[in-house]
Amino acid sequence: MQVSKKRMSKTLSLTLVSTAVCVTSLSAGAYQDALFSLQNRWENTVTQMPANQREDALQALAGEAEALAGQHADEADVLVWQGIVLAAYARERGGLGALGDAKAARNVLERAITIDPEGLQGSAYVTLGALYDRVPGGLIGFGDSDRAEQMFQRALEIRPAGVDVNYYYAAFLAEEGNTQAAREHAQRALEGDVRQGREASDAALRQDAQQLLDQLSS
C-alpha cells in the first residue's frame, strides 16, 4: 500500500518530537540523580567525616559540582548546590587560599537567584548570608553585615521555620550583639522544620543552636 509523502513526513516529525521528549526526560532524570548523589555525599562529608579528611573530600565534590553545573547551567538547584559545596570547601580550607572559592560560591549563588529566586526554598540566601557574615570585611566584597542581614531576611520570608535559616541568623545576630533576637532564632532553629534529605545536617545545626543558646544564657 502506498503511503503519501505528506503522511510520511508527519509520522517522521512525530517520531522526532517523541524522541526529543524522551532524551530531554532522560537528561533531566540523569542530572537529578547526579545531584541527589552529590547532596548525599556532601551531607555525609560535613556531618560524619573526620575533620582531617573533609577538605580533600569537599575539594573533590566541588569539582563534581562544577562539572555538573557546566552541563546544566540553567538549573537553579544545580547552581545552588555548587554554591553550597564551594562555601563549605572555602570554610574548611580557611585562610587567604579560600577567598577564591568563597567568591566563586557567591557568584554561582547569585546566578541561581536570578534563575529562581526561591530555588531550593531559599537555600541560596542562607548560604550567601553566611558568606557575607563569616568572610573578613574588605576582601572581595564580603564582610558586609548589612548585606548578610538582607540575605537572612529574604531566606526567612521564604522559609521562616527552617532550622538552617534560623541557626545561621541567630549566629549572625549574636556576633552583632543582638542577644535577645539571637536567642529567639536559636530557639526557632531547635523547633524548626527538618528538610527532607538534609536530616543529618539539620540535626547537627540543632546541636549548634543548643550550644549557642547555652552560651547566650551563661
Side-chain angles (χ1 to χ4, degrees):
M1 182 176 69
Q2 294 286 334
V3 179
S4 69
K5 290 183 178 180
K6 183 176 181 181
R7 182 176 177 184
M8 288 179 64
S9 176
K10 182 178 180 181
T11 301
L12 179 59
S13 296
L14 289 172
T15 301
L16 290 173
V17 169
S18 177
T19 301
V21 169
C22 290
V23 169
T24 301
S25 298
L26 288 172
S27 176
Y31 104 73
Q32 289 167 356
D33 289 345
L35 191 60
F36 182 72
S37 173
L38 181 75
Q39 171 188 320
N40 284 343
R41 283 178 289 133
W42 177 88
E43 187 92 354
N44 180 72
T45 298
V46 299
T47 62
Q48 304 296 327
M49 189 170 287
N52 62 353
Q53 298 176 22
R54 284 199 294 262
E55 183 177 336
D56 288 343
L58 287 168
Q59 183 179 27
L61 288 175
E64 289 185 37
E66 181 179 9
L68 190 62
Q71 297 169 1
H72 304 281
D74 294 327
E75 298 291 346
D77 53 352
V78 173
L79 296 177
V80 173
W81 266 106
Q82 184 187 11
I84 290 171
V85 172
L86 281 168
Y89 177 48
R91 183 171 59 250
E92 196 66 39
R93 189 178 180 190
L96 292 175
L99 293 178
D101 301 306
K103 182 178 181 180
R106 180 192 65 184
N107 290 344
V108 296
L109 289 166
E110 288 179 344
R111 192 159 77 247
I113 287 170
T114 64
I115 296 171
D116 182 359
E118 297 190 7
L120 283 186
Q121 297 182 303
S123 293
Y125 291 107
V126 180
T127 309
L128 280 170
L131 279 171
Y132 281 113
D133 176 30
R134 303 295 174 87
V135 179
L139 296 173
I140 60 170
F142 287 106
D144 187 332
S145 295
D146 291 340
R147 188 70 171 145
E149 175 77 29
Q150 292 172 7
M151 295 297 102
F152 287 129
Q153 287 294 335
R154 185 68 183 96
L156 284 166
E157 290 174 4
I158 297 170
R159 193 158 41 91
V163 175
D164 58 326
V165 182
N166 282 286
Y167 167 70
Y168 285 114
Y169 189 40
F172 166 76
L173 290 167
E175 291 171 0
E176 294 293 300
N178 193 341
T179 303
Q180 181 58 39
R183 286 198 196 97
E184 291 175 4
H185 284 280
Q187 187 63 44
R188 290 184 194 179
L190 287 175
E191 300 168 355
D193 298 334
V194 175
R195 294 164 290 175
Q196 185 176 3
R198 304 288 296 278
E199 291 86 357
S201 56
D202 277 351
L205 289 175
R206 277 179 164 170
Q207 291 180 356
D208 292 339
Q210 184 60 65
Q211 291 176 2
L212 180 58
L213 269 176
D214 293 343
Q215 292 170 7
L216 293 171
S217 300
S218 60

